[in-house]
């Protein structure tokens, strides 16, 4: 496996405002600090990700305006042809002595699925956040993800031990975080007494319906009337993590693709202080 931390020549990625995080297995991974972008709605990387979103599912909102309200955009570029292959959008804010990190949206282009991009971009995002939060003196964080994708639900379930405590088991402790998120963004739960299952968050977005029988672990978690294919019902996942704990797990996962020295250089916003 060839690993190089230098940016590749790409129309969408070789930009002074993007931070190269890693190059591995034919893809390079970059972070864009949206706080330092004058107009995210017209940024070429945002436009590339917009096209990817349209290829992956049926968009509901103006993508560029949506991304303009986020904090970071982490994206993968196929080194051979310069195509943007995957992205994760993140929003971060501070509540008291803790950060709240929202995984806003994650996509892999249909042409680049089964290349391990979801895992790589996910762990790079976590390690980059570890560096960013640590520099800002934050040792605890709430992680929040709202998703109608059974693939992502299944991934969150499989990694729940690394992210514990989570809303899969610590319902009472994390319910205030979930309620605050629902109120902040105007979502409605299927059952007012249970904030973890959100009604119609992403209606009609799924291009390729997936049967619940394909994800038995997820199926056992969801209420019978939960419909992620048509109505766009979504799982609201919350975790409460110590930054140092998740950092250790992220480093272990990233050692599959890079060495310890390279991991220490992964940072979503090396030039920024403050959330």
């Amino acid at each position: 496996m060839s690993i190089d931390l230098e940016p590749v020549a790409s129309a969408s990625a070789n930009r002074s405002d993007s931070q190269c995080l890693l190059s591995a297995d034919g893809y390079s991974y970059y972070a864009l600090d949206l706080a330092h972008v004058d107009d995210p709605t017209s940024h070429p990387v945002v436009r590339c990700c917009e096209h990817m979103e349209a290829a992956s599912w049926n968009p509901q909102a103006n993508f560029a305006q949506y991304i303009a309200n986020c904090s970071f955009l982490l994206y993968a570029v196929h080194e051979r042809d310069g195509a943007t292959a995957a992205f994760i959008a993140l929003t971060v804010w501070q509540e008291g002595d803790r950060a709240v990190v929202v995984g806003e949206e994650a996509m892999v282009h249909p042409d680049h699925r089964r290349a391990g991009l979801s895992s790589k971009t996910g762990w790079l995002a976590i390690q980059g956040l570890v560096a960013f939060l640590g520099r800002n003196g934050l040792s605890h964080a709430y992680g929040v993800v709202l998703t109608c994708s059974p693939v992502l639900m299944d991934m969150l379930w499989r990694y729940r031990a690394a992210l514990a405590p989570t809303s899969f088991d610590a319902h009472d402790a994390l319910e205030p975080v979930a309620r605050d998120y629902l109120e902040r963004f105007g979502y409605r739960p299927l059952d007012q007494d249970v904030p973890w299952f959100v009604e119609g968050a992403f209606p009609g977005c799924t291009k390729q319906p997936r049967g619940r029988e394909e994800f038995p672990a997820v199926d056992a978690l969801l209420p019978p009337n939960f419909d992620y294919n048509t109505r766009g019902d979504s799982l609201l996942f919350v975790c409460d993590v110590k930054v140092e704990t998740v950092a250790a797990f992220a480093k272990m996962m990233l050692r599959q693709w890079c060495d310890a020295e390279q991991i220490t250089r992964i940072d979503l916003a090396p030039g920024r202080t403050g959330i």
Side-chain angles (χ1 to χ4, degrees):
M1 177 177 64
S2 173
I3 294 178
D4 181 8
L5 288 177
E6 293 302 317
V8 296
S10 166
S12 64
N14 189 15
R15 298 181 55 85
S16 60
D17 53 9
S18 291
Q19 170 77 12
C20 186
L21 303 179
L22 177 71
S23 181
D25 297 336
Y27 293 88
S28 288
Y29 302 82
Y30 296 84
L32 183 63
D33 182 356
L34 294 164
H36 289 168
V37 176
D38 291 336
D39 181 14
T41 62
S42 63
H43 196 284
V45 170
V46 174
R47 290 301 185 187
C48 287
C49 291
E50 182 176 26
H51 290 302
M52 187 199 319
E53 184 198 49
S56 301
W57 76 343
N58 301 314
Q60 285 189 312
N62 183 296
F63 179 82
Q65 292 178 0
Y66 170 70
I67 292 298
N69 293 318
C70 297
S71 304
F72 302 106
L73 182 63
L74 189 151
Y75 59 99
V77 173
H78 191 223
E79 293 176 351
R80 187 176 63 193
D81 59 15
T84 307
F87 74 84
I88 295 178
L90 302 164
T91 298
V92 183
W93 68 82
Q94 186 171 345
E95 288 188 0
D97 61 350
R98 298 191 181 210
V100 178
V101 178
V102 179
E104 297 280 3
E105 190 169 329
M107 292 283 175
V108 176
H109 192 284
D111 293 344
H112 295 274
R113 289 173 182 165
R114 305 188 187 282
L117 298 184
S118 293
S119 184
K120 287 188 179 73
T121 53
W123 290 111
L124 282 168
I126 289 172
Q127 179 59 31
L129 283 165
V130 164
F132 175 65
L133 296 178
R135 285 189 293 98
N136 284 280
L138 296 169
S139 59
H140 286 77
Y142 292 118
V144 182
V145 175
L146 181 67
T147 180
C148 66
S149 167
V151 176
L152 182 52
M153 294 180 204
D154 188 63
M155 183 182 299
L156 292 169
W157 173 255
R158 286 186 287 110
Y159 286 121
R160 66 192 183 281
L163 301 171
T166 76
S167 50
F168 290 131
D169 47 38
H171 296 307
D172 292 342
L174 295 175
E175 182 169 338
V177 183
R179 296 285 183 189
D180 178 69
Y181 175 86
L182 293 172
E183 183 177 355
R184 180 184 289 258
F185 293 102
Y187 290 116
R188 183 178 64 184
L190 278 169
D191 182 339
Q192 291 300 319
D193 295 329
V194 183
W196 317 112
F197 308 110
V198 180
E199 181 180 357
F202 307 108
C205 284
T206 302
K207 282 185 179 290
Q208 297 178 324
R210 305 291 295 269
R212 287 177 59 150
E213 70 278 0
E214 298 180 59
F215 306 93
V218 170
D219 182 54
L221 295 171
L222 303 178
N225 61 335
F226 192 94
D227 174 16
Y228 49 69
N229 282 321
T230 303
R231 196 166 59 206
D233 295 344
S234 299
L235 173 73
L236 179 57
F237 173 84
V238 182
C239 60
D240 179 3
V241 296
K242 290 183 178 180
V243 173
E244 63 180 20
T245 300
V246 74
F249 199 88
K251 288 177 182 177
M252 181 183 72
M253 298 299 294
L254 288 168
R255 286 298 297 269
Q256 301 173 74
W257 309 298
C258 50
D259 61 35
E261 181 182 354
Q262 290 167 329
I263 291 173
T264 64
R265 297 166 58 186
I266 296 171
D267 190 330
L268 292 186
R272 175 149 63 119
T273 58
I275 300 298

